[in-house]
């Protein structure tokens, strides 16, 4: 047991006396959080567990006063909303984005749910589908709202043409108002259900134009900004996603590539109708953080939200947009 003893010589009568003793198990060693689950990477004194699908974050040990803190940092991002394949379709809203920089943890198993992206609406008058929720511990990040369906008809937009509510709201559709006049399909509300701080922002409003050449849809909301409104000349851009470098550091393997690195939950941009309906124009880029591009009059520019970003899909006139991006859950803690 690693026993030790200290003897002190007193005098010829009493001789050697034991004045102290100890064994190895009496010593207090520093302990840190120990856990498994997801894809684990190490950076300095910290470990990161990234979940891109369902799993379990299993904590087998926690820290003590001599070792590491008993708290974690985390990010929970819901699945992004889908776009709509009709001309004038709005962009999908980003999945809900929620974080914590100091959350207490205990030794137990924590189930993790990662939401999938919403599918593209493929039926006339059908809005894009909402993304699914992501869940960790007591935190739920709602799926993003689907984009409104482009349409022709009277000035008052039915519910399916409006952007759908969600973590961030979907963009409102553009419309061709039969018989002249104008109308506008509103964007979906963000931060639904409400939490504090907010998990997302609303989508923009579709263009109120009255002819095919002004059918420019709105962008879906993002974690850091609302979706842009459609106008008679251009579509609305997807709202920007939020940066996480302050929590996780400047470079991590679970970051998106390129300019989206370090950002999550960007909104999808709306469908853009070229002026005159003939000359192709570049699609509107999605919100930073995985938001999809809006198509431009069947020119093939529509894209879905990036996988594991929570990004909303871009609005597209055909089924080119594969839907919203799936969500992600990332957990960080000190392990040594």
């Amino acid at each position: 047991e690693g026993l030790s003893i200290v003897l002190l010589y007193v005098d010829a009568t009493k001789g050697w006396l034991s004045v102290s003793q100890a064994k190895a198990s009496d010593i207090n060693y520093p302990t840190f959080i120990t856990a498994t689950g997801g894809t684990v990477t190490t950076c300095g004194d910290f470990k990161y567990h990234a979940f891109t699908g369902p799993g379990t974050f299993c904590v087998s040990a926690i820290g003590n006063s001599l070792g590491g803190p008993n708290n974690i940092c985390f990010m929970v991002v819901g699945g992004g909303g889908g776009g709509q394949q009709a001309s004038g379709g709005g962009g999908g809203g980003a999945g809900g984005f929620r974080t914590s920089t100091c959350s207490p943890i205990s030794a137990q198993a924590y189930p993790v749910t990662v939401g999938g992206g919403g599918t593209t609406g493929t039926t006339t008058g059908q809005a894009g589908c909402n993304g699914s929720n992501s869940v960790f511990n007591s935190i739920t990040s709602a799926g993003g709202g689907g984009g409104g369906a482009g349409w022709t008809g009277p000035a008052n937009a039915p519910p399916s043409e409006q952007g759908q509510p969600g973590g961030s709201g979907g963009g409102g559709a553009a419309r061709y108002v039969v018989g002249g006049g104008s109308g506008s399909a509103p964007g979906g509300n963000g931060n639904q259900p409400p939490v504090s701080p907010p998990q997302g922002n609303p989508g923009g409003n579709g263009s109120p134009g009255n002819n095919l050449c002004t059918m420019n849809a709105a962008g879906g909301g993002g974690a850091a900004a609302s979706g842009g409104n459609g106008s008679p000349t251009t579509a609305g851009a997807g709202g920007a996603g939020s940066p996480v470098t302050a929590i996780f550091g400047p470079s991590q393997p679970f970051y998106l590539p390129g300019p989206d690195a370090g950002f999550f939950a960007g909104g999808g941009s709306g469908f853009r109708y070229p002026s005159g309906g003939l000359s192709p124009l570049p699609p509107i880029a999605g919100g930073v953080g995985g938001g999809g591009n809006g198509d431009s009059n069947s020119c093939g520019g529509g894209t879905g939200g990036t996988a594991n970003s929570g990004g909303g899909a871009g609005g597209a006139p055909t089924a080119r947009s594969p839907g919203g991006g799936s969500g992600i859950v990332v957990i960080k803690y000190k392990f040594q």
Side-chain angles (χ1 to χ4, degrees):
E1 293 184 301
L3 186 69
S4 66
I5 188 170
V6 177
L7 299 173
L8 176 65
Y9 183 80
V10 179
D11 56 30
T13 302
K14 294 186 175 182
W16 293 90
L17 298 180
S18 172
V19 294
S20 68
Q21 63 181 24
K23 56 183 181 294
S25 59
D26 294 331
I27 300 172
N28 290 323
Y29 292 97
T31 62
F32 296 81
I33 293 174
T34 303
T36 58
T39 300
V40 184
T41 57
T42 300
C43 183
D45 292 336
F46 294 90
K47 282 191 176 180
Y48 299 81
H49 294 242
F51 290 84
T52 56
T56 302
F57 180 63
C58 190
V59 181
S60 57
I62 58 175
N64 61 13
S65 59
L66 299 177
N70 286 325
N71 54 59
I72 59 174
C73 304
F74 64 79
M75 172 184 71
V76 181
V77 182
Q84 218 282 343
Q85 76 166 24
S87 293
F97 175 89
R98 302 183 68 184
T99 64
S100 174
T101 57
C102 187
S103 180
I105 202 78
S106 59
Q108 66 178 77
Y110 294 87
V112 175
T113 301
V114 175
T119 56
T120 298
T122 58
T123 303
T124 300
Q126 175 193 19
C129 295
N130 282 26
S132 300
N133 298 347
S134 292
V135 183
F136 168 66
N137 198 4
S138 61
I139 298 298
T140 298
S141 292
W151 68 300
T152 61
N156 295 324
S160 62
E161 275 66 46
Q162 302 174 22
Q164 304 301 294
S168 281
R175 66 182 59 195
Y176 169 57
V177 179
V178 176
S182 63
S184 181
N189 290 330
N191 193 32
Q192 299 296 312
V195 293
S196 182
Q199 60 180 313
N201 290 281
N205 300 325
S207 171
N210 60 3
N211 62 70
L212 292 176
C213 299
T214 60
M215 287 187 69
N216 294 308
S226 301
N229 295 331
S231 74
T233 58
T234 192
S242 284
V244 295
T245 53
I247 301 174
F248 298 132
S251 179
Q252 300 299 334
F254 51 85
Y255 285 176
L256 303 177
D260 288 329
F263 290 82
F264 289 87
S269 294
F271 166 85
R272 182 183 194 182
Y273 209 100
S275 176
L278 298 174
S279 301
L281 292 174
I284 302 297
V288 63
N293 298 340
D295 205 344
S296 180
N297 197 31
S298 303
C299 296
T303 60
T306 304
N308 302 124
S309 73
T318 57
R320 292 192 179 93
S321 175
S326 52
I328 188 171
V329 174
V330 180
I331 303 160
K332 170 189 175 183
Y333 59 88
K334 191 173 184 179
F335 80 100
Q336 69 177 13

